[in-house]
Amino acid sequence: MAGWVFVVDDDMTNLLAAGNILSQNNIRVTAIKSGKKLLAHLKNNKPDLILLDILMPEMDGFETYEKLREQEKDRDEEETPVIFLTADEDKNSENRALQLGAVDYIHKPLNEEVLLKRISNVLENTSKIKELINDATIDGLTGFLNKSAVNEKLLSVCKDTDGALMILDIDNFKKVNDLYGHDKGDLVLKAFSDIIKTNTREQDIIGRIGGDEFVIFLKNFKGENGISSLNDRINQQLAVKMHELVGDTLPFNTGVSIGVSFIPNDGRDYDLLFRKADTALYQVKQHGKHGYNIFSDSMEQVIEYDVASKDEIERISNLLKENETYNSAMWIGQDAFSHIYRYMLRYIRSYNGTAYKVLFNATPVSSDMTKVEFTECMKKFGTFLSNSLRKSDVMMQNGINEFFLFLPDIDEQYIDSVIGRLITSWQKLDFSSKINVSYETEIISSNSENDGKRRSGDFSKK
């Protein structure tokens, strides 16, 4: 039996007796003479168990216990198990001790066999509980909090703690898995986790919320300069690590995209903060990846671009190059899409081509679905569409729940089979029952009689 036990008693004889019993059985012991000194000592030390005497001057055991729990809550610490000690035979004291939440109650004078057995039981049970909690809350691959655990924690923390909420996504990670296998992908995730650990503080909260997506809450973090510096370090270190893992053979760029919202500027509701950070993340993804963006209200407005600048052309070119090695539709942002769309329209009018525009609109089945859950479903839906379409197709996400597709070289007789195939594949997905999806199609052709014909339907039936 091992462990570290604090014994708190104003009577030196009792402290010596407990200390001798425990130390002779290989248990580390710290003797403390008052509740006030215990609270002070706990600010920098964390024992496995506290033996706390009830009858002490100035601050008795019950008051000490209550202040201990308040202190742990304020410091966001796990509760330390407490066994009360007393020479009082009053049953009311024992009942009060257990009602407060003590794990046990031992009478003085101390019996060595009883004391050791009670301590052993508490330490073993605490260890088992920690293992169960760890299994339920920790992501096994990265060692970070898993999705449910970090969301639950941040729901509480964001209410009363200022800071920066960051969502991080590894760019082109799916391509790593597809090209090199999931074992290599796991190595990339572990390496990325190590990079995050070395660039964050112990007080920060980190969780893995998806395959290659992470959330970090930087407590009491305010400045954009710090975000910029953190983004640069993470991207530089990941580039080095990717070179070590796969060499110079990677046919596409990898990096990290980061979306940020600030507390209290963007509110204190975690779901809302997450959505805002996620909106900022999408802006990064749509503008070339490998960078960061901080949420602003303007991001929720539709912006039209009439003239393509040199930077925009270069950004679109990079997106096209990345898609050369990947057999799926090109999923791009509004700015890039607007230019590609105009070009394709001119091409169809000039060379007697045909194409289809398709708009998908999604809504949650249940009104109880949170914004975080709906956002996650929309990411999955977007990925499903991209992977289900051709390499020549182009798609854009318009807001959180709409996807606009441009399908070139599709004749009118084939559009129904394309939509039917999407519906069949969709209905096999585990999250399809949570989302209602409707669609509208419109043909584009050089034939003015056909141009503009529309059809609509939904994914609940073929």
Side-chain angles (χ1 to χ4, degrees):
M1 178 172 56
W4 186 12
V5 177
F6 284 5
V7 183
V8 186
D9 198 313
D10 63 306
D11 190 321
M12 183 58 70
T13 301
N14 292 328
L15 288 176
L16 291 174
N20 287 334
I21 293 172
L22 299 180
S23 59
Q24 289 174 8
N25 286 273
N26 298 317
I27 299 175
R28 182 183 174 189
V29 186
T30 297
I32 300 174
K33 293 196 66 176
S34 70
K36 185 177 180 180
K37 289 182 179 180
L38 168 68
L39 297 175
H41 203 60
L42 286 170
K43 291 181 179 180
N44 298 306
N45 302 277
K46 189 69 174 176
D48 299 296
L49 174 66
I50 298 173
L51 301 181
L52 180 59
D53 186 37
I54 292 178
L55 300 176
M56 295 187 295
E58 296 184 14
M59 186 189 298
D60 67 21
F62 294 136
E63 184 180 357
T64 301
Y65 180 91
E66 291 172 344
K67 290 185 179 297
L68 163 64
R69 295 300 184 231
E70 291 175 3
Q71 181 171 291
E72 289 171 331
K73 183 177 180 180
D74 291 341
R75 295 167 62 89
D76 195 24
E77 296 176 342
E78 293 181 4
E79 292 187 354
T80 305
V82 172
I83 295 178
F84 277 112
L85 305 176
T86 185
D88 192 350
E89 294 293 337
D90 183 4
K91 286 292 182 182
N92 291 330
S93 294
E94 183 174 348
N95 289 335
R96 183 181 176 188
L98 297 177
Q99 287 173 358
L100 281 173
V103 295
D104 211 338
Y105 187 99
I106 299 177
H107 291 280
K108 296 188 290 186
L110 299 175
N111 177 287
E112 179 174 351
E113 183 177 351
V114 172
L115 179 63
L116 293 175
K117 183 60 177 177
R118 298 284 182 88
I119 290 176
S120 176
N121 288 340
V122 171
L123 295 180
E124 287 179 7
N125 289 336
T126 302
S127 178
K128 290 178 181 178
I129 291 171
K130 286 182 177 180
E131 287 179 8
L132 292 172
I133 292 174
N134 187 70
D135 290 342
T137 61
I138 302 299
D139 174 66
L141 183 64
T142 65
F144 295 146
L145 292 172
N146 61 27
K147 181 178 178 180
S148 60
V150 75
N151 285 344
E152 182 178 356
K153 189 174 186 68
L154 289 177
L155 277 170
S156 173
V157 171
C158 290
K159 291 178 180 178
D160 52 20
T161 307
D162 294 352
L165 183 71
M166 303 171 56
I167 302 176
L168 300 86
D169 184 274
I170 302 178
D171 302 322
N172 298 319
F173 179 73
K174 187 176 186 301
K175 297 181 183 180
V176 175
N177 277 335
D178 291 345
L179 188 59
Y180 296 99
H182 288 274
D183 288 344
K184 184 69 72 174
D186 286 349
L187 291 177
V188 171
L189 287 174
K190 289 178 180 178
F192 182 61
S193 302
D194 291 337
I195 291 170
I196 292 179
K197 290 173 186 174
T198 59
N199 285 282
T200 52
R201 305 160 298 178
E202 185 176 349
Q203 70 192 58
D204 299 326
I205 299 169
I206 309 170
R208 182 185 178 195
I209 55 177
D212 62 331
E213 194 170 49
F214 298 78
V215 62
I216 301 176
F217 181 72
L218 302 172
K219 289 188 177 182
N220 301 313
F221 199 94
K222 299 179 180 179
E224 180 176 352
N225 290 339
I227 299 293
S228 176
S229 177
L230 180 61
N231 167 75
D232 291 343
R233 292 197 306 273
I234 289 176
N235 270 287
Q236 291 167 5
Q237 291 170 24
L238 182 60
V240 171
K241 185 56 66 173
M242 289 300 299
H243 178 77
E244 294 176 3
L245 291 173
V246 300
D248 296 322
T249 61
L250 201 65
F252 47 81
N253 295 323
T254 57
V256 182
S257 295
I258 303 173
V260 186
S261 60
F262 280 103
I263 305 169
N265 293 1
D266 295 313
R268 290 199 175 276
D269 178 75
Y270 173 60
D271 288 349
L272 177 62
L273 290 161
F274 187 97
R275 182 181 67 79
K276 289 182 175 182
D278 205 36
T279 298
L281 174 64
Y282 272 119
Q283 292 289 319
V284 180
K285 290 286 191 182
Q286 293 170 354
H287 290 76
K289 307 178 181 180
H290 318 335
Y292 76 95
N293 213 337
I294 295 173
F295 176 81
S296 65
D297 292 336
S298 63
M299 289 181 183
E300 296 187 324
Q301 301 172 1
V302 177
I303 302 173
E304 295 185 356
Y305 296 86
D306 294 323
V307 181
S309 69
K310 180 180 178 181
D311 288 342
E312 288 166 349
I313 293 171
E314 182 178 353
R315 187 161 56 243
I316 295 170
S317 298
N318 289 334
L319 288 169
L320 290 168
K321 287 178 181 178
E322 285 190 0
N323 209 56
E324 287 176 0
T325 59
Y326 203 51
N327 293 319
S328 62
M330 187 187 304
W331 185 356
I332 59 178
Q334 289 178 343
D335 56 345
F337 188 93
S338 64
H339 301 301
I340 293 175
Y341 178 72
R342 290 184 184 125
Y343 171 79
M344 287 182 165
L345 286 179
R346 289 199 299 270
Y347 182 89
I348 289 168
R349 306 296 191 201
S350 300
Y351 296 98
N352 299 320
T354 58
Y356 263 90
K357 295 183 288 185
V358 184
L359 178 65
F360 291 104
N361 184 283
T363 55
V365 170
S366 171
S367 60
D368 294 332
M369 177 176 280
T370 67
K371 293 177 182 177
V372 173
E373 291 172 328
F374 186 61
T375 299
E376 186 68 23
C377 284
M378 287 301 91
K379 290 180 186 177
K380 291 180 180 179
F381 182 58
T383 301
F384 158 73
L385 288 176
S386 176
N387 292 341
S388 300
L389 298 171
R390 303 168 301 173
K391 189 175 179 179
S392 58
D393 299 328
V394 186
M395 60 180 283
M396 172 196 75
Q397 186 170 4
N398 182 43
I400 190 173
N401 69 322
E402 289 187 343
F403 291 85
F404 186 80
L405 275 60
F406 193 97
L407 312 179
D409 298 321
I410 294 285
D411 292 331
E412 187 173 3
Q413 58 183 318
Y414 296 123
I415 188 63
D416 287 340
S417 63
V418 172
I419 297 296
R421 177 174 56 82
L422 288 174
I423 292 175
T424 299
S425 299
W426 160 257
Q427 291 173 341
K428 296 177 182 178
L429 300 178
D430 58 357
F431 67 97
S432 62
S433 61
K434 300 179 181 179
I435 300 296
N436 292 319
V437 178
S438 61
Y439 66 88
E440 185 174 350
T441 68
E442 180 180 325
I443 191 172
I444 306 170
S445 71
S446 58
N447 186 339
S448 58
E449 292 183 2
N450 292 329
D451 202 7
K453 285 186 177 179
R454 293 188 178 187
R455 301 182 187 183
S456 61
D458 60 68
F459 272 25
S460 63
K461 57 185 176 180
K462 295 185 180 180

